[in-house]
Amino acid sequence: MAYVPDTIFALATAPGKAGVAVVRVSGSLAQNAGKKLFGDLPEPRMASLRLLKDREGRRLDQALVLFFKEKSSFTGEDVLELHLHGSVAVVNAVLRELSDMDGLRLAEAGEFTRRALENGCLDLSQVEGLADLIDAETEAQRRQALRVLSGDLGNLAGQWRENLIRAAALIEVTIDFADEEVPVDVSPEVNDLLTGVQAQLSSEIEGVETAERIRTGFEVAILGAPNVGKSTLLNALAGREAAITSEFAGTTRDVIEVRMELNGLPVTLLDTAGLRETEDHVEGIGIERAKERAANADLRVFLIESGEKPDFEPFSGDIVRAAKADTLENVPDAVSGKTGQGVNELVRDITEVLSSKAARSGIATRERHRRAMLGAQDSLTSARAVVALGPDSYEIAAEEIRTAIRALDSIVGRVDVENLLDEIFSSFCIGK
């Protein structure tokens, strides 16, 4: 007898009082659950108003209901959606009624999406895109997640796979039918196919780090000597008193972080300890942390006294500003967090630098994707070297190409993903 998964249900919208609450049911008993609650099911994908009743015939709610047939739903199973009035009492009553039905159980975190993956409605990269979309806080994060959820990464991996299968087939025909009338020298076309895939892989690998920054946030470190106005500038940029300001040098001992959005990009501003020689042990720890975070940040903003130089050489693209512009006259590129002078211009420059970095992001968004592409890249490099040795080595070249295909298949979840699934779905809420 074939295994039939449990029918699951859950609240798919946020808990608490709301205008509308959606309860989702997925599985072979979804139709039966609907019939028990309100009688005849509506036509698939047709919203209908129904009166929901419990087993005793008492009214639960008047709801808008939708039914999706298997293979035409998010999970690939029969799915029933109940759009209820968003009362906590109404939702609890409906969930209790569903839990008392034989064969139904409350869904686990991410179980609806997991079923979509298992039933071929989503590939693994799309699942990751959905997780990112749920977590998206900025416009850039939303756009990036939507590209992955829409299948762009899977489609690209599919194109690579198709080209590599063609290359492997050319080589294997030469191996298997060496005495037949087949092209003996397939190396030019094979090399063209492998080189083309490698070039695209290189481009995507370079863009992963930036794509990850869009997911997690760019870091901008504010650096300078003690009491130069870093914390005051941070507060001006954040629009609130995020950091303690004082006329006493060395007030900031640890790295203070403030998250914000610039031009749709997630940005974390870092207010660091003032850079100076000190015998204070605690302040010294703060200065070392400041240097470490600054080195790893995507952008550094140096605040300096007019006429001074930064404490260490800025990286390409870093921004240098004269501090305390309100006390200076005719000093270009000066900024004052106290009065706001030059703050808008600084925000513009930070945004331009980070937007330029973001433009270099690829479709692949995770370290897992990068590792898979690097593995494929290495195998293709080996394959090209072996192809150059001639037909006697084609069998080895074909195996290297197959290894590259398997590496790329892991991106969309065709192979080697079981150990990833629990980690991925743990980030989902119940009902998704």
Side-chain angles (χ1 to χ4, degrees):
M1 181 179 293
Y3 168 69
V4 179
D6 295 338
T7 297
I8 56 174
F9 67 91
L11 176 66
T13 47
K17 185 168 65 176
V20 174
V22 178
V23 170
R24 178 186 286 170
V25 184
S26 179
S28 59
L29 297 180
Q31 292 191 53
N32 186 54
K35 290 174 182 177
K36 288 182 177 180
L37 283 172
F38 51 78
D40 292 338
L41 291 170
E43 291 295 315
R45 296 178 176 270
M46 296 290 292
S48 298
L49 195 63
R50 293 287 192 273
L51 182 62
L52 275 57
K53 296 182 179 180
D54 65 14
R55 287 164 298 170
E56 306 299 327
R58 294 171 298 203
R59 295 185 180 187
L60 293 170
D61 191 27
Q62 191 173 42
L64 198 66
V65 301
L66 282 158
F67 176 68
F68 301 89
K69 287 285 292 180
E70 63 175 331
K71 300 182 181 178
S72 299
S73 70
F74 173 70
T75 62
E77 304 172 328
D78 283 351
V79 170
L80 178 68
E81 285 190 359
L82 308 173
H83 295 240
L84 311 168
H85 291 94
S87 155
V88 174
V90 168
V91 171
N92 288 340
V94 171
L95 292 178
R96 278 198 304 271
E97 194 65 24
L98 289 171
S99 68
D100 288 339
M101 295 182 186
D102 291 337
L104 271 66
R105 65 168 174 81
L106 188 65
E108 298 175 358
E111 192 168 4
F112 288 93
T113 306
R114 187 160 189 158
R115 292 192 176 193
L117 173 67
E118 292 169 347
N119 292 326
C121 300
L122 296 175
D123 65 39
L124 185 60
S125 66
Q126 288 177 294
V127 170
E128 291 168 326
L130 179 56
D132 292 341
L133 186 62
I134 293 170
D135 291 336
E137 297 177 345
T138 71
E139 180 63 14
Q141 289 173 329
R142 182 193 68 81
R143 290 196 303 266
Q144 178 171 277
L146 205 54
R147 287 176 68 192
V148 180
L149 176 59
S150 298
D152 288 2
L153 180 56
N155 292 337
L156 185 57
Q159 293 172 18
W160 294 335
R161 188 175 197 272
E162 185 177 323
N163 288 338
L164 295 182
I165 288 174
R166 168 66 179 168
L170 286 170
I171 290 176
E172 287 168 351
V173 163
T174 303
I175 297 170
D176 295 339
F177 301 99
D179 298 329
E180 305 287 337
E181 292 185 4
V182 295
V184 174
D185 187 10
V186 298
S187 58
E189 184 175 354
V190 170
N191 270 319
D192 286 345
L193 289 166
L194 301 187
T195 301
V197 172
Q198 278 195 295
Q200 293 183 359
L201 283 171
S202 295
S203 176
E204 282 300 318
I205 290 168
E206 290 176 2
V208 169
E209 184 176 355
T210 302
E212 278 199 302
R213 281 305 202 192
I214 292 175
R215 285 180 55 238
T216 60
F218 290 94
E219 287 195 347
V220 177
I222 304 174
L223 300 167
N227 215 25
V228 78
K230 299 184 299 299
S231 297
T232 303
L233 177 60
L234 177 78
N235 291 340
L237 293 169
R240 60 185 176 87
E241 293 293 319
I244 299 172
T245 59
S246 167
E247 70 274 16
F248 298 106
T251 299
T252 301
R253 297 297 185 93
D254 205 350
V255 178
I256 298 172
E257 302 182 7
V258 173
R259 287 186 66 86
M260 61 188 301
E261 180 179 344
L262 294 177
N263 195 33
L265 296 172
V267 178
T268 299
L269 297 175
L270 308 176
D271 178 22
T272 60
L275 303 180
R276 66 172 178 176
E277 296 295 329
T278 180
E279 295 182 359
D280 185 306
H281 178 67
V282 175
E283 186 182 359
I285 293 173
I287 291 171
E288 287 305 312
R289 287 183 179 176
K291 291 179 179 178
E292 182 179 344
R293 290 296 294 273
N296 295 323
D298 301 283
L299 175 65
R300 285 145 292 277
V301 176
F302 290 89
L303 280 187
I304 59 174
E305 298 286 356
S306 181
E308 297 290 328
K309 291 184 178 181
D311 291 273
F312 57 87
E313 188 68 24
F315 298 163
S316 175
D318 285 349
I319 297 171
V320 180
R321 288 288 189 272
K324 302 178 181 178
D326 52 304
T327 66
L328 306 175
E329 292 185 6
N330 301 321
V331 176
D333 292 333
V335 65
S336 170
K338 184 177 180 180
T339 66
Q341 182 179 338
V343 170
N344 289 339
E345 291 79 3
L346 176 59
V347 170
R348 179 201 63 205
D349 290 348
I350 292 173
T351 302
E352 287 181 358
V353 172
L354 297 183
S355 295
S356 177
K357 289 179 180 288
R360 297 194 292 271
S361 69
I363 301 174
T365 59
R366 293 174 180 254
E367 176 62 17
R368 182 182 74 81
H369 304 157
R370 191 182 74 87
R371 290 197 305 269
M373 292 187 294
L374 282 172
Q377 184 85 285
D378 290 344
S379 295
L380 295 182
T381 298
S382 299
R384 289 178 60 196
V386 174
V387 167
L389 298 176
D392 290 344
S393 302
Y394 279 2
E395 207 166 319
I396 299 173
E399 182 56 34
E400 290 288 357
I401 295 172
R402 286 193 289 270
T403 300
I405 292 171
R406 288 194 292 271
L408 296 177
D409 281 348
S410 70
I411 293 176
V412 294
R414 288 193 180 96
V415 294
D416 298 334
V417 297
E418 284 303 320
N419 58 330
L420 292 171
L421 296 183
D422 289 340
E423 178 183 348
I424 291 171
F425 289 114
S426 66
S427 67
F428 281 76
C429 57
I430 293 175
K432 194 61 182 175

